[in-house]
Amino acid sequence: MAFFPSWVCVLVGSFSASLAGISNLSDIEPPLWKESPGQLSDYRVENSMYIINPWVYLERMGMYKIILNQTARYFAKFAPENEQNILWGLPLQYGWQYRTGRLADPTRRTNCGYESGDHMCISVDSWWADLNYFLSSLPFLAAVDSGIMGISSDQVRLLPPPKNERKFCYDVSSCRSSFPETMNKWNTFYQYLQSPFSKFHDLLKYLWAAHTSTLADNIKSFEDRYDYYSKAEAHFERNWVLAVDHLAAVLFPTTLIRSYKFQKGMPPRILLNTDVAPFISDFTAFQNVVLVLLNMLGNVDKSIGYLCTEKSNVYRGRSESSSRSYGNNS
Ligand SMILES: *[C@@H]1O[C@H](CO)[C@@H](O)[C@H](O)[C@H]1NC(C)=O
Ligand SMILES: *[C@@H]1O[C@H](CO)[C@@H](O)[C@H](O)[C@H]1NC(C)=O
């Protein structure tokens, strides 16, 4: 059974960073990227505080857009057009959640997130939306805290959801006190990012450390959400958490093109109980294979360890050559 992790290595290693088939980087940006706020002044200001409603698709996306914008200068040495910014993985994943209906109210008690209702609404009952809350607000608030945004730490406040307020934190100080270690990890990432000697491989290490710590802090709080989904989707959610650990272990480079290509393997809609991979007819072969692998992952004892951790050197080599091939293609 120990063969599984090496399959993860093969799978993630198979995404070339070449631009083949992508004529314009703006074609692979997440949904409504252009429409999202791109600077803090696009948000409401009250008593000289920026007020962000992360339960609205565009406003949450705007936090990512601002982080990507404000960190672009530190990634410019790796490739043009911010392509090698490893923070791209987060908004792309969030955009995938939106496009595939995963941010909508899974209980269907409200029309939050549905085409026919309030399609920009992000449901607090969505398991995906809840975990993404921490994967957007903590990186954003830590960026503010580490001085990257050029405002002071008490100048941003996020709005609470309509219920379950106590499950979330809303500003730098409350998130720091609820998640001290995780906030430190995000801060460490941003501190290192600002060093003129930052290395791509080490940036990935700090980013993935912060990412996995964020999930570890919060996964338990939202276990009640699994019940709102089909068994197949709930199973996928649990497996996805395991998969993220593996992606972290191999230091998957979450740059724009690689994240985009990886995402093509993700289920394009919420899973139904009638979906049996690899025979889901409206999924691509790649999407079917990824689901099969994820199901196997769920069945393998987690204690077997990560065989390809030592091989992360492979990725270091690849990412360097990928920036070159990107340069040649552009
Ligand atoms: C890419 O697309 C954007 C918007 O669609 C456009 O403004 C830009 O000029 C395009 N760039 C290239 C190099 O074609
Ligand atoms: C950052 O945002 C500013 C203002 O919206 C824009 O002029 C600039 O081109 C952006 N920079 C990058 C690298 O996206």
Side-chain angles (χ1 to χ4, degrees), residues 148-168:
I148 283 185
M149 305 290 195
I151 57 168
S152 71
S153 293
D154 56 4
Q155 275 186 287
V156 181
R157 190 159 51 83
L158 310 183
L159 295 180
K163 62 175 195 185
N164 295 148
E165 275 188 41
R166 299 176 55 128
K167 284 183 186 271
F168 304 91

Side-chain angles (χ1 to χ4, degrees), residues 35-111:
E35 290 76 3
S36 303
Q39 43 201 0
L40 284 164
S41 58
D42 292 338
Y43 289 100
R44 202 150 53 88
V45 180
E46 262 174 33
N47 302 326
S48 55
M49 292 238 283
Y50 296 102
I51 310 291
I52 302 177
N53 185 350
W55 303 97
V56 173
Y57 177 76
L58 289 180
E59 295 204 25
R60 192 185 287 195
M61 186 61 93
M63 293 198 280
Y64 284 135
K65 194 167 165 185
I66 293 170
I67 303 177
L68 265 290
N69 180 290
Q70 296 294 316
T71 55
R73 73 190 92 132
Y74 307 111
F75 289 95
K77 66 186 179 192
F78 301 116
E81 292 186 69
N82 210 17
E83 194 281 323
Q84 288 279 302
N85 192 326
I86 55 177
L87 290 158
W88 273 119
L90 293 167
L92 259 76
Q93 183 68 3
Y94 171 60
W96 165 80
Q97 293 168 356
Y98 172 75
R99 200 170 50 235
T100 60
R102 287 182 164 85
L103 301 176
D105 180 358
T107 69
R108 296 195 175 252
R109 283 194 287 256
T110 68
N111 63 14

Side-chain angles (χ1 to χ4, degrees), residues 177-299:
S177 61
S178 302
F179 309 107
E181 274 181 39
T182 295
M183 283 292 277
N184 277 340
K185 285 182 174 154
W186 284 109
N187 269 305
T188 304
F189 167 74
Y190 289 119
Q191 293 311 330
Y192 182 70
L193 180 61
Q194 294 174 73
S195 151
F197 308 109
S198 64
K199 293 198 174 61
F200 191 77
H201 182 259
D202 291 326
L203 284 168
L204 281 173
K205 267 199 326 215
Y206 289 122
L207 180 78
W208 278 114
H211 189 123
T212 50
S213 174
T214 304
L215 288 178
D217 279 348
N218 292 292
I219 214 85
K220 284 247 171 333
S221 313
F222 300 101
E223 284 181 335
D224 57 334
R225 274 35 173 188
Y226 293 133
D227 292 343
Y228 300 148
Y229 296 89
S230 68
K231 279 209 169 53
E233 179 73 8
H235 194 57
F236 170 62
E237 289 166 357
R238 291 170 195 270
N239 287 341
W240 177 244
V241 176
L242 299 180
V244 169
D245 278 346
H246 283 77
L247 293 174
V250 302
L251 298 182
F252 180 71
T254 46
T255 58
L256 178 57
I257 294 174
R258 279 177 192 268
S259 300
Y260 170 78
K261 291 193 170 178
F262 178 78
Q263 226 163 35
K264 289 191 160 189
M266 302 285 289
R269 58 167 173 73
I270 291 189
L271 298 176
L272 308 172
N273 281 334
T274 47
D275 289 331
V276 182
F279 307 110
I280 307 175
S281 59
D282 59 336
F283 283 22
T284 63
F286 181 32
Q287 288 160 352
N288 271 297
V289 167
V290 166
L291 260 194
V292 168
L293 289 174
L294 282 174
N295 286 336
M296 287 168 59
L297 183 58
N299 296 333

